[in-house]
Amino acid sequence: MKLLVCVSKTPETTTKIQLTGDGGDIDTTGVQYIMNPYDEWYALVRALELKEAAGGSVTILNVGPADNDSVIRKGLAIGADDAVRIDVTEEKDSLYTARQIAEYARAESYDIVFFGKETISYNGSEVGAMVAEFLDVPYIGEASKLEMNGTQATVTRDIEGGEEVIELETPFAISSAKGLAEQRIPNMRGIMMAKRKPLKVVPPTDFPDTTRIAHYDKPEEKGSVKLIDADNMDELVRLLHEEAKVI
Amino acid sequence: MVLVYAEATNGQFKKMAHEVVVYGKKTADVLGTECHALVLGDASGAEDLGRFGASKVHQLKSPNLEKFDAAVYTVAVAEAAKKLGATVIVLSHNSTGKSICGRLAARLEAGSVPGANAIPMMKDGFFTVRKPVFSGKAFADVQLLTDVKIISVAGNSIPVEELGQGGTTVEALDITLPEPRTKVVKHQVATGRVPLPEAELVVSGGRGLKGPENWGVVEDLAEALGATTACSRPVADSDWRPHHEHVGQTGVAIRPNLYIAAGISGAIQHLAGVNNSKTIVVINKDADAPFFKAADYGVVGDLFEVLPRLTEAVKKYKGQ
Ligand SMILES: Cc1cc2nc3c(=O)[nH]c(=O)nc-3n(C[C@H](O)[C@H](O)[C@H](O)COP(=O)(O)OP(=O)(O)OC[C@H]3O[C@@H](n4cnc5c(N)ncnc54)[C@H](O)[C@@H]3O)c2cc1C
Ligand SMILES: Nc1ncnc2c1ncn2[C@@H]1O[C@H](COP(=O)(O)O)[C@@H](O)[C@H]1O
């Protein structure tokens, strides 16, 4: 099976988000980046498991600048065979990113294109669906289970308060949620091998912007917490009713 | 015209469908236009969507819509929007909306804002929509630059209001849909509790609960309040609770009216998924737990004593 895993990069999860003076941008000074957890923990690992079971190849794809190579190398260290980076240096919108991925993937005819459920920075959860539309293949969002039998797939996806089981044929695209696989930590051998694995850099295709972020804000700081005596829960209930008006 | 896809779940409109219609109506007001609702498949109460602001309801029925398929539903919404001349398409940011929002954007070459949490505004001459980013650590104002614009609305972002009258005419739409290429073989939802992403009241437990056998104190409070239960990530990772209860940056992001956290320390990744809650109550035996900084109300004490007391107090209040 020929598998493609699309990975994005995101600030490390403990990052405190700071804005540049006027909220025009995110202050990236000192921010550490990681591979988007959904892509690394679930999408990539499930793709590797399928390859290990049935043969084939796992390619990693990222749309972004050369700085992202460290994130891509980590994916290679975890076990992907090769990688592609579409060399986009500016921040672009989701549709632009999806078009780059689709342009590349169309020519390669992958059996399954894997995405994460969302990038935890911009929380879009849309690039996978966009690529699926451009490629004209089915898309299953938030998959927590994927079993393959030849070209036949059985996917479980999370829905509000439950799940749905879906059958479909390759080719298709899915987004990966918790449950799909177990995180793998790269070992020393993997890290050494990753250095020699091919990382192809391809130029982007030009497409117009459809959205632009004009301004950022931070949520209002909470005022100081009101402490309630552990023996006086009637008082807490009263405050929730009369002051917060939530019950 | 603003076209709202109002999703019927098993033939019924839930709160989220009403929320998006209200959102659509308010968006239409900003643009000085009308709001229409789109209903896909069989549903009862379509004419009632007028109460939330739809001046017209369009309904498309087809055997191909009986089970959800993202590609087919995308064609349905996109072709309806084209046929009716919609310039803004609004949908829910739930599992259905997330499956089709991106497809729609690609199909219509339209700018999209997934997970918006405020009514759009015209700002500096641009149609601008606000959404949380970094799992709620910040907000971004996104300008939509295309003629057709797509917005999916995060649950519990705007209150449901009555903005019109029921009894709206429901007009049948005729659109040819492709055959689904996926087959839904099982559809299973827990009955009873409101699903977490839609819940207005949430009671959540962390590692301070010590083990799954102790969850009764959380369940009892949730029961008394009519709340949904949630948990921190290590709790779901240890299989103390099902993984769909896990909230945070790598779990479900929620914005209920009330979030009660017991035995949760308040790590930044946990806060990221819950700090848009309107009111936060933290119960922790450690007065220095970081969560207290993000809380509106705090109780320093042993949750095994505090939770049952709170449950009794809620029951007493409800009994009045
Ligand atoms: C990449 C990444 C992503 C992550 N994503 C998430 C996420 O999405 N969601 C998430 O929740 N976490 C996430 N985490 C984990 C997070 O960093 C914390 O480890 C986790 O939230 C801690 O869970 P906890 O508060 O339940 O446990 P602990 O930190 O162990 O806290 C337990 C708390 O219970 C209190 N306590 C103990 N006994 C009692 C008692 N009897 N009465 C009252 N209080 C008591 C203690 O004082 C303590 O504050 C992520 C971590 C990483 C690295
Ligand atoms: N720049 C990118 N390069 C490659 N894949 C991406 C990129 N951005 C997003 N993706 C993929 O799309 C998924 C959903 O992203 P998003 O729509 O941004 O939430 C991610 O989990 C990745 O799998």
Side-chain angles (χ1 to χ4, degrees):
Chain A
M1 250 183 309
K2 197 170 165 184
L3 307 171
L4 181 68
V5 181
C6 299
V7 305
S8 56
K9 157 187 108 161
T10 175
E12 200 272 319
T13 54
T14 55
T15 309
K16 292 213 165 62
I17 299 300
Q18 308 286 359
L19 307 180
T20 54
D22 54 355
D25 214 340
I26 301 289
D27 184 356
T28 53
T29 328
V31 172
Q32 301 278 324
Y33 291 91
I34 56 168
M35 196 189 310
N36 186 40
Y38 291 107
D39 311 349
E40 178 188 328
W41 301 348
Y42 311 126
L44 175 58
V45 178
R46 189 64 192 130
L48 292 172
E49 288 169 354
L50 292 179
K51 177 196 125 172
E52 286 155 10
S57 63
V58 175
T59 300
I60 286 186
L61 186 153
N62 171 259
V63 179
D67 291 353
N68 293 7
D69 285 354
S70 58
V71 160
I72 296 173
R73 291 276 173 213
K74 182 169 187 198
L76 293 171
I78 294 171
D81 299 292
D82 59 355
V84 181
R85 182 169 57 77
I86 301 175
D87 192 23
V88 175
T89 49
E90 295 161 71
E91 287 270 345
K92 288 290 193 174
D93 60 29
S94 301
L95 203 58
Y96 179 92
T97 303
R99 284 176 132 143
Q100 306 302 330
I101 297 173
E103 289 282 307
Y104 187 84
R106 186 176 294 118
E108 295 284 329
S109 309
Y110 292 99
D111 295 302
I112 309 174
V113 185
F114 286 85
F115 297 88
K117 166 180 138 176
E118 65 173 16
T119 305
I120 61 171
S121 50
Y122 287 91
N123 311 111
S125 54
E126 57 177 354
V127 169
M130 287 171 170
V131 173
E133 184 67 22
F134 286 130
L135 295 178
D136 189 23
V137 295
Y139 171 73
I140 310 291
E142 308 198 16
S144 58
K145 216 169 170 188
L146 163 66
E147 296 301 336
M148 293 301 300
N149 187 356
T151 58
Q152 173 79 36
T154 307
V155 187
T156 304
R157 78 170 180 122
D158 293 339
I159 56 173
E160 286 66 32
E163 57 183 38
E164 217 167 55
V165 181
I166 297 132
E167 290 175 355
L168 73 166
E169 293 270 327
T170 56
F172 61 87
I174 68 168
S175 85
S176 312
K178 189 169 175 168
L180 194 70
E182 293 279 342
Q183 183 182 4
R184 284 188 188 176
I185 311 292
N187 57 25
M188 213 46 214
R189 189 164 161 268
I191 294 166
M192 294 311 290
M193 278 170 62
K195 295 194 176 129
R196 292 193 301 273
K197 288 180 179 171
L199 194 173
K200 186 162 83 176
V201 178
V202 299
T205 317
D206 199 29
F207 291 112
D209 287 338
T210 58
T211 67
R212 185 193 309 135
I213 295 182
H215 186 78
Y216 291 93
D217 270 320
K218 299 240 292 185
E220 276 173 43
E221 297 276 332
K222 289 259 180 201
S224 57
V225 54
K226 201 175 256 186
L227 288 178
I228 290 112
D229 193 274
D231 293 321
N232 196 356
M233 286 303 100
D234 289 332
E235 173 66 1
L236 177 57
V237 170
R238 186 189 70 77
L239 288 167
L240 291 177
H241 175 60
E242 289 175 13
E243 190 177 76
K245 300 189 170 63
V246 289
I247 60 172
Chain B
M1 184 261 282
V2 176
L3 185 66
V4 178
Y5 167 41
E7 182 185 4
T9 322
N10 301 322
Q12 305 290 330
F13 294 102
K14 295 205 291 183
K15 184 174 146 244
M16 224 155 158
H18 298 153
E19 280 175 1
V20 279
V21 177
V22 170
Y23 187 98
K25 168 65 178 157
K26 295 199 166 182
T27 304
D29 288 346
V30 170
L31 297 172
T33 179
E34 281 186 13
C35 167
H36 293 191
L38 173 67
V39 175
L40 299 180
D42 289 318
S44 54
E47 63 289 338
D48 199 40
L49 294 174
R51 274 205 297 139
F52 305 99
S55 59
K56 211 179 249 182
V57 179
H58 307 273
Q59 187 167 25
L60 173 59
K61 293 188 187 182
S62 158
N64 295 358
L65 293 169
E66 263 161 33
K67 297 272 169 68
F68 179 71
D69 176 281
V72 178
Y73 272 62
T74 298
V75 174
V77 178
E79 295 309 311
K82 276 193 213 159
K83 201 165 183 165
L84 301 166
T87 52
V88 181
I89 302 174
V90 176
L91 44 151
S92 299
H93 194 60
N94 60 0
S95 62
T96 303
K98 287 180 202 171
S99 299
I100 60 178
C101 183
R103 289 199 85 121
L104 275 174
R107 192 176 182 89
L108 298 171
E109 305 197 349
S112 58
V113 178
N117 70 336
I119 306 295
M121 50 198 167
M122 290 305 296
K123 209 168 145 191
D124 306 326
F126 289 99
F127 184 88
T128 307
V129 186
R130 172 164 277 229
K131 69 162 289 186
V133 290
F134 300 97
S135 310
K137 290 180 194 171
F139 298 105
D141 287 338
V142 186
Q143 296 174 342
L144 287 164
L145 309 174
T146 46
D147 292 342
V148 176
K149 302 163 176 72
I150 299 168
I151 306 170
S152 73
V153 184
N156 287 334
S157 295
I158 54 154
V160 173
E161 296 170 50
E162 304 242 346
L163 298 172
Q165 266 149 30
T168 324
T169 38
V170 180
E171 286 177 16
L173 260 182
D174 183 23
I175 289 168
T176 314
L177 297 176
E179 290 286 327
R181 285 171 289 178
T182 63
K183 194 167 133 206
V184 178
V185 291
K186 193 170 123 196
H187 177 97
Q188 188 181 311
V189 282
T191 46
R193 289 266 166 79
V194 183
L196 195 48
E198 297 164 20
E200 290 183 356
L201 307 172
V202 175
V203 182
S204 187
R207 211 141 53 174
L209 265 289
K210 308 280 188 294
E213 66 283 2
N214 297 330
W215 237 262
V217 285
V218 172
E219 295 275 1
D220 289 347
L221 177 58
E223 186 72 42
L225 280 167
T228 302
T229 51
C231 67
S232 67
R233 174 164 159 225
V235 163
D237 282 352
S238 323
D239 284 329
W240 294 0
R241 300 296 292 175
H243 77 79
H244 62 77
E245 280 198 6
H246 153 204
V247 290
Q249 193 162 5
T250 51
V252 186
I254 54 171
R255 39 187 319 122
N257 291 340
L258 174 61
Y259 182 70
I260 301 180
I264 302 177
S265 57
I268 187 164
Q269 299 98 345
H270 185 86
L271 295 181
V274 303
N275 63 4
N276 282 327
S277 308
K278 289 193 189 82
T279 299
I280 296 179
V281 176
V282 169
I283 301 164
N284 199 304
K285 68 175 182 191
D286 174 8
D288 292 325
F291 216 152
F292 283 118
K293 291 206 181 70
D296 299 282
Y297 302 103
V299 182
V300 180
D302 185 340
L303 68 91
F304 294 105
E305 292 166 15
V306 174
L307 283 180
R309 268 184 226 145
L310 180 53
T311 305
E312 282 317 306
V314 168
K315 283 186 183 157
K316 202 164 97 192
Y317 155 75
K318 293 235 166 165
Q320 276 166 12

